[in-house]
């Protein structure tokens, strides 16, 4: 049944002034509770509650979802464990029936179609029933959750580069953490690697301190450095900033912890992208699997070493006796990974079964060409931007292939040729105030500005993030809980290990 929205039919409807007022209040909300209360009022005034009740609209296969929902509810009501497990195992797919369509979440401020919310909550209810079923062997439950998680896929949070604008990432992480939606898989490039490192080395109990005004230090730039000193450094080393100061900053924030040690401490999977200073080495994704003994501060400083800003650095590793020495035997040096590999989605998919990406994008050269998921799509301006970027990319590629461009343009091609968008994109509206702080140490006022703006940007997409991530989060939590119980029983743990080993042979 088609819903009736008076605003659509009568542009000068008397409620329009009230809507305008509420939209202004929404921009000034200081807490999520305040923002949500205003947003729900807006949804009611705009007729969005009727839209939520209706299953029509063509954005998803409501008949498929309704059928799955009824089957699940029947299995739950009859307490049929084996039937419930079979239904969940065979039918849990990412974007089932078009549930991932952004149009299902961008029209309204809070929530989405009621049938979708009902489906997701019912799936989670079913997973909890299986998790808490006492009559089922622990190993059988673990196998169910592990295999279903592998089939469904994981979510990851990717933090872009962007110098001081990386402070915007903190507000995004704060909202996700407070709503229990922060993915275990984190990735960062350039300044994003610093923020991701700080988050991945803090436990849940320690993390709230990061969101406070003086929770972390990001004073990486040298404001006292004279022009003469910077000029001397540039003429001698080709850079204007002191890499030693940056390394000390990161080390003061996280210590000498390695990727493997961070994983065991927090159970978060940290990934940092770095690029070699030679043209023959491919960019690397560093994590507890590919480089377990590398100390994180060296990886993050390498990822921040942008050409002409910081000089390339060696990666350092921690030995069994705790001593720190060069990781690569040939003293190979590494630099900023965001130029070639800002968002390493392909590699994350290969290593950690990630098929859903939340992107916090603040790179100043990317933001003008990438829209937040909440923003309307398909406008003329967006189409012009897309065509222009593709045309420039194509022409540079042609000239590069026939050898008419210097090596510098190959770097430009790498920047243009990357995919900067994911499944959910959180992108701030940057203004002159933001760009004026791009290469300066953040002031308390700028920190508060970034935190509040990025919080509001994330609140706008919170319903979409929740519906996209709630099932994978429940599967992830089930795997972790059952694994801890299994490893409390050595015999069961050995049996699971042997089964997993055989499944990969």
């Amino acid at each position: 049944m088609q819903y009736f929205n008076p605003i659509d039919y009568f542009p000068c409807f008397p409620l329009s002034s009230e809507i305008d007022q509420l939209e202004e209040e929404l921009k000034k909300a200081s807490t999520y509770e305040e923002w949500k209360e205003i947003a729900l009022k807006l949804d009611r005034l705009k007729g969005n509650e009727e839209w939520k009740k209706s299953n029509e609209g063509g954005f998803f296969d409501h008949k498929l979802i309704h059928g799955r929902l009824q089957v699940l509810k029947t299995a739950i009501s009859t307490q049929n464990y084996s039937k419930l497990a079979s239904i969940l195992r065979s039918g849990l797919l990412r974007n089932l029936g078009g549930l991932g369509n952004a149009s299902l979440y961008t029209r309204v401020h809070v929530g989405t179609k009621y049938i979708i919310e009902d489906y997701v909550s019912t799936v989670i209810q079913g997973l909890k029933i299986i998790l808490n079923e006492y009559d089922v062997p622990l190993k059988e439950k673990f196998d169910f959750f592990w295999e279903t998680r592998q089939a469904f896929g994981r979510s990851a949070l990717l933090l872009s580069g962007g110098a001081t604008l990386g402070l915007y990432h903190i507000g995004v992480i704060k909202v996700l953490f407070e709503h229990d939606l922060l993915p275990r898989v984190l990735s960062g490039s350039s300044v994003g690697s610093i923020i991701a490192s700080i988050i991945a080395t803090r436990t849940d109990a320690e993390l709230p301190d990061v969101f406070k005004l003086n929770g972390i230090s990001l004073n990486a730039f040298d404001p006292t450095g004279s022009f003469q000193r910077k000029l001397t450094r540039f003429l001698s080393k080709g850079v204007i900033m002191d890499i030693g100061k940056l390394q000390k900053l990161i080390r003061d924030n996280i210590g000498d912890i390695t990727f493997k040690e961070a994983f065991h401490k927090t159970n978060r999977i940290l990934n940092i992208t770095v690029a070699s200073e030679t043209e023959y080495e491919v960019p690397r994704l560093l994590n507890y699997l590919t480089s377990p003994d590398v100390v994180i501060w060296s990886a993050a400083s390498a990822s921040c070493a942008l050409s002409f800003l910081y000089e390339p650095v060696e990666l350092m590793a921690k030995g069994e006796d705790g001593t720190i020495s060069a990781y690569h035997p040939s003293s190979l040096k590494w630099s900023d990974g965001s130029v070639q590999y800002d968002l390493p989605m392909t590699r994350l998919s290969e290593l950690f079964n990630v098929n859903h990406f939340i992107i916090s994008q603040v790179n100043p050269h990317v933001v003008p060409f990438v829209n937040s998921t909440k923003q309307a799509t398909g406008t003329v301006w967006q189409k012009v931007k897309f065509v222009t970027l593709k045309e420039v990319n194509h022409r540079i590629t042609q000239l590069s292939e026939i050898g008419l461009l210097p090596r510098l343009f190959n770097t430009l091609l790498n920047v243009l040729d990357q995919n900067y968008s994911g499944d959910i994109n959180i992108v701030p509206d940057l203004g002159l105030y933001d760009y004026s702080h791009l290469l300066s140490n953040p002031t308390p006022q700028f920190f508060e500005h970034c935190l509040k703006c990025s919080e509001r940007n994330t609140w706008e997409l919170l319903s979409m993030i929740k519906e996209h991530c709630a099932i994978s989060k429940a599967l992830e939590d089930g795997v972790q809980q059952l694994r801890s119980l299994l490893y409390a029983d050595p015999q069961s743990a050995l049996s699971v290990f042997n089964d997993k080993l055989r499944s990969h042979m």
Side-chain angles (χ1 to χ4, degrees), residues 64-90:
L64 172 64
I65 301 304
H66 181 267
R68 290 280 304 167
L69 184 58
Q70 296 309 309
V71 171
L72 279 169
K73 287 186 173 182
T74 299
I76 290 173
S77 64
T78 58
Q79 298 293 305
N80 189 333
Y81 168 84
S82 59
K83 181 67 173 177
L84 178 60
S86 176
I87 294 169
L88 289 171
R89 182 68 184 87
S90 62

PDB file of all heavy atoms in Angstrom, residues 64-90:
ATOM      1  N   LEU A  64      10.621 -12.400   0.016  1.00  0.00           N
ATOM      2  CA  LEU A  64      11.672 -13.321   0.463  1.00  0.00           C
ATOM      3  C   LEU A  64      11.945 -13.136   1.951  1.00  0.00           C
ATOM      4  O   LEU A  64      12.035 -14.115   2.712  1.00  0.00           O
ATOM      5  CB  LEU A  64      12.951 -13.085  -0.342  1.00  0.00           C
ATOM      6  CG  LEU A  64      14.202 -13.851   0.131  1.00  0.00           C
ATOM      7  CD1 LEU A  64      14.000 -15.348  -0.012  1.00  0.00           C
ATOM      8  CD2 LEU A  64      15.429 -13.388  -0.666  1.00  0.00           C
ATOM      9  N   ILE A  65      12.088 -11.883   2.381  1.00  0.00           N
ATOM     10  CA  ILE A  65      12.379 -11.603   3.790  1.00  0.00           C
ATOM     11  C   ILE A  65      11.216 -12.047   4.677  1.00  0.00           C
ATOM     12  O   ILE A  65      11.424 -12.631   5.750  1.00  0.00           O
ATOM     13  CB  ILE A  65      12.663 -10.103   3.991  1.00  0.00           C
ATOM     14  CG1 ILE A  65      13.854  -9.670   3.127  1.00  0.00           C
ATOM     15  CG2 ILE A  65      12.931  -9.801   5.463  1.00  0.00           C
ATOM     16  CD1 ILE A  65      15.119 -10.458   3.374  1.00  0.00           C
ATOM     17  N   HIS A  66      10.005 -11.787   4.226  1.00  0.00           N
ATOM     18  CA  HIS A  66       8.831 -12.197   5.016  1.00  0.00           C
ATOM     19  C   HIS A  66       8.779 -13.717   5.155  1.00  0.00           C
ATOM     20  O   HIS A  66       8.496 -14.251   6.243  1.00  0.00           O
ATOM     21  CB  HIS A  66       7.547 -11.688   4.342  1.00  0.00           C
ATOM     22  CG  HIS A  66       6.296 -12.039   5.080  1.00  0.00           C
ATOM     23  ND1 HIS A  66       5.557 -13.186   4.815  1.00  0.00           N
ATOM     24  CD2 HIS A  66       5.656 -11.400   6.112  1.00  0.00           C
ATOM     25  CE1 HIS A  66       4.534 -13.244   5.628  1.00  0.00           C
ATOM     26  NE2 HIS A  66       4.554 -12.174   6.414  1.00  0.00           N
ATOM     27  N   GLY A  67       9.053 -14.434   4.082  1.00  0.00           N
ATOM     28  CA  GLY A  67       9.049 -15.889   4.142  1.00  0.00           C
ATOM     29  C   GLY A  67      10.111 -16.422   5.089  1.00  0.00           C
ATOM     30  O   GLY A  67       9.849 -17.330   5.904  1.00  0.00           O
ATOM     31  N   ARG A  68      11.327 -15.889   4.999  1.00  0.00           N
ATOM     32  CA  ARG A  68      12.410 -16.305   5.890  1.00  0.00           C
ATOM     33  C   ARG A  68      12.053 -16.000   7.340  1.00  0.00           C
ATOM     34  O   ARG A  68      12.327 -16.798   8.249  1.00  0.00           O
ATOM     35  CB  ARG A  68      13.700 -15.576   5.515  1.00  0.00           C
ATOM     36  CG  ARG A  68      14.326 -16.001   4.206  1.00  0.00           C
ATOM     37  CD  ARG A  68      15.123 -17.281   4.357  1.00  0.00           C
ATOM     38  NE  ARG A  68      16.131 -17.157   5.383  1.00  0.00           N
ATOM     39  CZ  ARG A  68      16.792 -18.199   5.898  1.00  0.00           C
ATOM     40  NH1 ARG A  68      16.491 -19.422   5.495  1.00  0.00           N
ATOM     41  NH2 ARG A  68      17.710 -18.027   6.813  1.00  0.00           N
ATOM     42  N   LEU A  69      11.444 -14.846   7.552  1.00  0.00           N
ATOM     43  CA  LEU A  69      11.094 -14.429   8.905  1.00  0.00           C
ATOM     44  C   LEU A  69      10.083 -15.383   9.540  1.00  0.00           C
ATOM     45  O   LEU A  69      10.229 -15.778  10.707  1.00  0.00           O
ATOM     46  CB  LEU A  69      10.532 -13.001   8.857  1.00  0.00           C
ATOM     47  CG  LEU A  69      10.182 -12.324  10.177  1.00  0.00           C
ATOM     48  CD1 LEU A  69      11.394 -12.266  11.093  1.00  0.00           C
ATOM     49  CD2 LEU A  69       9.639 -10.913   9.921  1.00  0.00           C
ATOM     50  N   GLN A  70       9.078 -15.787   8.780  1.00  0.00           N
ATOM     51  CA  GLN A  70       8.062 -16.682   9.320  1.00  0.00           C
ATOM     52  C   GLN A  70       8.643 -18.070   9.642  1.00  0.00           C
ATOM     53  O   GLN A  70       8.306 -18.664  10.669  1.00  0.00           O
ATOM     54  CB  GLN A  70       6.903 -16.807   8.318  1.00  0.00           C
ATOM     55  CG  GLN A  70       6.152 -15.507   8.085  1.00  0.00           C
ATOM     56  CD  GLN A  70       5.715 -14.837   9.378  1.00  0.00           C
ATOM     57  OE1 GLN A  70       5.101 -15.466  10.240  1.00  0.00           O
ATOM     58  NE2 GLN A  70       6.045 -13.561   9.503  1.00  0.00           N
ATOM     59  N   VAL A  71       9.524 -18.545   8.777  1.00  0.00           N
ATOM     60  CA  VAL A  71      10.157 -19.852   9.020  1.00  0.00           C
ATOM     61  C   VAL A  71      11.005 -19.804  10.289  1.00  0.00           C
ATOM     62  O   VAL A  71      10.993 -20.731  11.111  1.00  0.00           O
ATOM     63  CB  VAL A  71      11.016 -20.259   7.801  1.00  0.00           C
ATOM     64  CG1 VAL A  71      11.854 -21.488   8.118  1.00  0.00           C
ATOM     65  CG2 VAL A  71      10.120 -20.531   6.590  1.00  0.00           C
ATOM     66  N   LEU A  72      11.764 -18.708  10.458  1.00  0.00           N
ATOM     67  CA  LEU A  72      12.593 -18.561  11.653  1.00  0.00           C
ATOM     68  C   LEU A  72      11.746 -18.497  12.920  1.00  0.00           C
ATOM     69  O   LEU A  72      12.059 -19.147  13.927  1.00  0.00           O
ATOM     70  CB  LEU A  72      13.445 -17.288  11.542  1.00  0.00           C
ATOM     71  CG  LEU A  72      14.716 -17.369  10.705  1.00  0.00           C
ATOM     72  CD1 LEU A  72      15.285 -15.975  10.480  1.00  0.00           C
ATOM     73  CD2 LEU A  72      15.754 -18.250  11.407  1.00  0.00           C
ATOM     74  N   LYS A  73      10.676 -17.728  12.882  1.00  0.00           N
ATOM     75  CA  LYS A  73       9.825 -17.579  14.061  1.00  0.00           C
ATOM     76  C   LYS A  73       9.149 -18.899  14.429  1.00  0.00           C
ATOM     77  O   LYS A  73       8.977 -19.209  15.620  1.00  0.00           O
ATOM     78  CB  LYS A  73       8.778 -16.492  13.819  1.00  0.00           C
ATOM     79  CG  LYS A  73       9.356 -15.080  13.835  1.00  0.00           C
ATOM     80  CD  LYS A  73       8.273 -14.018  13.746  1.00  0.00           C
ATOM     81  CE  LYS A  73       8.854 -12.619  13.935  1.00  0.00           C
ATOM     82  NZ  LYS A  73       7.827 -11.561  13.904  1.00  0.00           N
ATOM     83  N   THR A  74       8.794 -19.675  13.416  1.00  0.00           N
ATOM     84  CA  THR A  74       8.182 -20.989  13.693  1.00  0.00           C
ATOM     85  C   THR A  74       9.179 -21.914  14.377  1.00  0.00           C
ATOM     86  O   THR A  74       8.854 -22.603  15.357  1.00  0.00           O
ATOM     87  CB  THR A  74       7.691 -21.627  12.385  1.00  0.00           C
ATOM     88  OG1 THR A  74       6.707 -20.779  11.782  1.00  0.00           O
ATOM     89  CG2 THR A  74       7.088 -23.006  12.653  1.00  0.00           C
ATOM     90  N   ALA A  75      10.423 -21.945  13.875  1.00  0.00           N
ATOM     91  CA  ALA A  75      11.457 -22.800  14.471  1.00  0.00           C
ATOM     92  C   ALA A  75      11.774 -22.361  15.893  1.00  0.00           C
ATOM     93  O   ALA A  75      11.999 -23.203  16.783  1.00  0.00           O
ATOM     94  CB  ALA A  75      12.719 -22.760  13.614  1.00  0.00           C
ATOM     95  N   ILE A  76      11.754 -21.056  16.155  1.00  0.00           N
ATOM     96  CA  ILE A  76      12.025 -20.560  17.507  1.00  0.00           C
ATOM     97  C   ILE A  76      10.879 -20.907  18.446  1.00  0.00           C
ATOM     98  O   ILE A  76      11.095 -21.354  19.576  1.00  0.00           O
ATOM     99  CB  ILE A  76      12.252 -19.033  17.471  1.00  0.00           C
ATOM    100  CG1 ILE A  76      13.589 -18.708  16.775  1.00  0.00           C
ATOM    101  CG2 ILE A  76      12.235 -18.442  18.881  1.00  0.00           C
ATOM    102  CD1 ILE A  76      13.814 -17.227  16.545  1.00  0.00           C
ATOM    103  N   SER A  77       9.651 -20.724  17.989  1.00  0.00           N
ATOM    104  CA  SER A  77       8.498 -20.981  18.853  1.00  0.00           C
ATOM    105  C   SER A  77       8.344 -22.456  19.202  1.00  0.00           C
ATOM    106  O   SER A  77       7.866 -22.790  20.288  1.00  0.00           O
ATOM    107  CB  SER A  77       7.222 -20.473  18.182  1.00  0.00           C
ATOM    108  OG  SER A  77       6.960 -21.197  16.982  1.00  0.00           O
ATOM    109  N   THR A  78       8.754 -23.340  18.307  1.00  0.00           N
ATOM    110  CA  THR A  78       8.645 -24.783  18.562  1.00  0.00           C
ATOM    111  C   THR A  78       9.879 -25.347  19.251  1.00  0.00           C
ATOM    112  O   THR A  78       9.936 -26.545  19.523  1.00  0.00           O
ATOM    113  CB  THR A  78       8.432 -25.530  17.239  1.00  0.00           C
ATOM    114  OG1 THR A  78       9.528 -25.247  16.339  1.00  0.00           O
ATOM    115  CG2 THR A  78       7.122 -25.123  16.591  1.00  0.00           C
ATOM    116  N   GLN A  79      10.869 -24.470  19.533  1.00  0.00           N
ATOM    117  CA  GLN A  79      12.106 -24.897  20.204  1.00  0.00           C
ATOM    118  C   GLN A  79      12.794 -26.038  19.468  1.00  0.00           C
ATOM    119  O   GLN A  79      13.393 -26.930  20.083  1.00  0.00           O
ATOM    120  CB  GLN A  79      11.798 -25.316  21.644  1.00  0.00           C
ATOM    121  CG  GLN A  79      11.230 -24.205  22.516  1.00  0.00           C
ATOM    122  CD  GLN A  79      12.249 -23.096  22.765  1.00  0.00           C
ATOM    123  OE1 GLN A  79      13.344 -23.337  23.236  1.00  0.00           O
ATOM    124  NE2 GLN A  79      11.866 -21.872  22.424  1.00  0.00           N
ATOM    125  N   ASN A  80      12.699 -26.018  18.142  1.00  0.00           N
ATOM    126  CA  ASN A  80      13.326 -27.055  17.316  1.00  0.00           C
ATOM    127  C   ASN A  80      14.759 -26.628  16.993  1.00  0.00           C
ATOM    128  O   ASN A  80      15.010 -25.914  16.026  1.00  0.00           O
ATOM    129  CB  ASN A  80      12.509 -27.255  16.035  1.00  0.00           C
ATOM    130  CG  ASN A  80      12.969 -28.462  15.244  1.00  0.00           C
ATOM    131  OD1 ASN A  80      14.128 -28.879  15.310  1.00  0.00           O
ATOM    132  ND2 ASN A  80      12.031 -29.055  14.497  1.00  0.00           N
ATOM    133  N   TYR A  81      15.702 -27.082  17.839  1.00  0.00           N
ATOM    134  CA  TYR A  81      17.093 -26.635  17.709  1.00  0.00           C
ATOM    135  C   TYR A  81      17.691 -27.005  16.358  1.00  0.00           C
ATOM    136  O   TYR A  81      18.279 -26.160  15.675  1.00  0.00           O
ATOM    137  CB  TYR A  81      17.940 -27.228  18.831  1.00  0.00           C
ATOM    138  CG  TYR A  81      19.427 -27.039  18.605  1.00  0.00           C
ATOM    139  CD1 TYR A  81      20.058 -25.863  18.969  1.00  0.00           C
ATOM    140  CD2 TYR A  81      20.187 -28.040  17.994  1.00  0.00           C
ATOM    141  CE1 TYR A  81      21.408 -25.680  18.737  1.00  0.00           C
ATOM    142  CE2 TYR A  81      21.534 -27.862  17.762  1.00  0.00           C
ATOM    143  CZ  TYR A  81      22.149 -26.675  18.131  1.00  0.00           C
ATOM    144  OH  TYR A  81      23.482 -26.506  17.891  1.00  0.00           O
ATOM    145  N   SER A  82      17.564 -28.273  15.963  1.00  0.00           N
ATOM    146  CA  SER A  82      18.190 -28.722  14.719  1.00  0.00           C
ATOM    147  C   SER A  82      17.606 -27.997  13.511  1.00  0.00           C
ATOM    148  O   SER A  82      18.324 -27.626  12.571  1.00  0.00           O
ATOM    149  CB  SER A  82      18.032 -30.237  14.555  1.00  0.00           C
ATOM    150  OG  SER A  82      16.661 -30.598  14.535  1.00  0.00           O
ATOM    151  N   LYS A  83      16.270 -27.761  13.531  1.00  0.00           N
ATOM    152  CA  LYS A  83      15.629 -27.044  12.426  1.00  0.00           C
ATOM    153  C   LYS A  83      16.124 -25.592  12.386  1.00  0.00           C
ATOM    154  O   LYS A  83      16.429 -25.050  11.311  1.00  0.00           O
ATOM    155  CB  LYS A  83      14.112 -27.080  12.619  1.00  0.00           C
ATOM    156  CG  LYS A  83      13.320 -26.374  11.518  1.00  0.00           C
ATOM    157  CD  LYS A  83      13.442 -27.104  10.188  1.00  0.00           C
ATOM    158  CE  LYS A  83      12.521 -26.500   9.150  1.00  0.00           C
ATOM    159  NZ  LYS A  83      12.667 -27.141   7.823  1.00  0.00           N
ATOM    160  N   LEU A  84      16.205 -24.962  13.555  1.00  0.00           N
ATOM    161  CA  LEU A  84      16.660 -23.578  13.643  1.00  0.00           C
ATOM    162  C   LEU A  84      18.095 -23.445  13.141  1.00  0.00           C
ATOM    163  O   LEU A  84      18.417 -22.540  12.359  1.00  0.00           O
ATOM    164  CB  LEU A  84      16.557 -23.076  15.083  1.00  0.00           C
ATOM    165  CG  LEU A  84      17.052 -21.650  15.358  1.00  0.00           C
ATOM    166  CD1 LEU A  84      16.254 -20.641  14.532  1.00  0.00           C
ATOM    167  CD2 LEU A  84      16.929 -21.332  16.854  1.00  0.00           C
ATOM    168  N   ALA A  85      18.964 -24.350  13.565  1.00  0.00           N
ATOM    169  CA  ALA A  85      20.365 -24.313  13.142  1.00  0.00           C
ATOM    170  C   ALA A  85      20.474 -24.497  11.630  1.00  0.00           C
ATOM    171  O   ALA A  85      21.278 -23.833  10.964  1.00  0.00           O
ATOM    172  CB  ALA A  85      21.162 -25.392  13.865  1.00  0.00           C
ATOM    173  N   SER A  86      19.658 -25.383  11.078  1.00  0.00           N
ATOM    174  CA  SER A  86      19.687 -25.639   9.636  1.00  0.00           C
ATOM    175  C   SER A  86      19.234 -24.411   8.845  1.00  0.00           C
ATOM    176  O   SER A  86      19.836 -24.056   7.831  1.00  0.00           O
ATOM    177  CB  SER A  86      18.787 -26.833   9.308  1.00  0.00           C
ATOM    178  OG  SER A  86      18.718 -27.037   7.911  1.00  0.00           O
ATOM    179  N   ILE A  87      18.169 -23.761   9.333  1.00  0.00           N
ATOM    180  CA  ILE A  87      17.654 -22.567   8.648  1.00  0.00           C
ATOM    181  C   ILE A  87      18.700 -21.446   8.662  1.00  0.00           C
ATOM    182  O   ILE A  87      18.967 -20.806   7.637  1.00  0.00           O
ATOM    183  CB  ILE A  87      16.361 -22.086   9.309  1.00  0.00           C
ATOM    184  CG1 ILE A  87      15.238 -23.114   9.110  1.00  0.00           C
ATOM    185  CG2 ILE A  87      15.924 -20.723   8.755  1.00  0.00           C
ATOM    186  CD1 ILE A  87      14.011 -22.849   9.947  1.00  0.00           C
ATOM    187  N   LEU A  88      19.293 -21.226   9.832  1.00  0.00           N
ATOM    188  CA  LEU A  88      20.287 -20.160   9.939  1.00  0.00           C
ATOM    189  C   LEU A  88      21.534 -20.473   9.115  1.00  0.00           C
ATOM    190  O   LEU A  88      22.081 -19.617   8.425  1.00  0.00           O
ATOM    191  CB  LEU A  88      20.677 -19.960  11.413  1.00  0.00           C
ATOM    192  CG  LEU A  88      19.604 -19.316  12.298  1.00  0.00           C
ATOM    193  CD1 LEU A  88      20.009 -19.380  13.764  1.00  0.00           C
ATOM    194  CD2 LEU A  88      19.365 -17.869  11.888  1.00  0.00           C
ATOM    195  N   ARG A  89      21.971 -21.713   9.179  1.00  0.00           N
ATOM    196  CA  ARG A  89      23.215 -22.085   8.482  1.00  0.00           C
ATOM    197  C   ARG A  89      23.061 -21.981   6.967  1.00  0.00           C
ATOM    198  O   ARG A  89      23.985 -21.577   6.256  1.00  0.00           O
ATOM    199  CB  ARG A  89      23.608 -23.527   8.864  1.00  0.00           C
ATOM    200  CG  ARG A  89      24.902 -24.008   8.232  1.00  0.00           C
ATOM    201  CD  ARG A  89      26.091 -23.247   8.787  1.00  0.00           C
ATOM    202  NE  ARG A  89      27.315 -23.640   8.118  1.00  0.00           N
ATOM    203  CZ  ARG A  89      27.760 -23.102   6.992  1.00  0.00           C
ATOM    204  NH1 ARG A  89      27.064 -22.143   6.407  1.00  0.00           N
ATOM    205  NH2 ARG A  89      28.886 -23.512   6.442  1.00  0.00           N
ATOM    206  N   SER A  90      21.892 -22.319   6.460  1.00  0.00           N
ATOM    207  CA  SER A  90      21.710 -22.359   5.010  1.00  0.00           C
ATOM    208  C   SER A  90      21.286 -21.020   4.418  1.00  0.00           C
ATOM    209  O   SER A  90      21.460 -20.784   3.227  1.00  0.00           O
ATOM    210  CB  SER A  90      20.657 -23.415   4.644  1.00  0.00           C
ATOM    211  OG  SER A  90      19.399 -23.078   5.215  1.00  0.00           O
TER     212      SER A  90
END
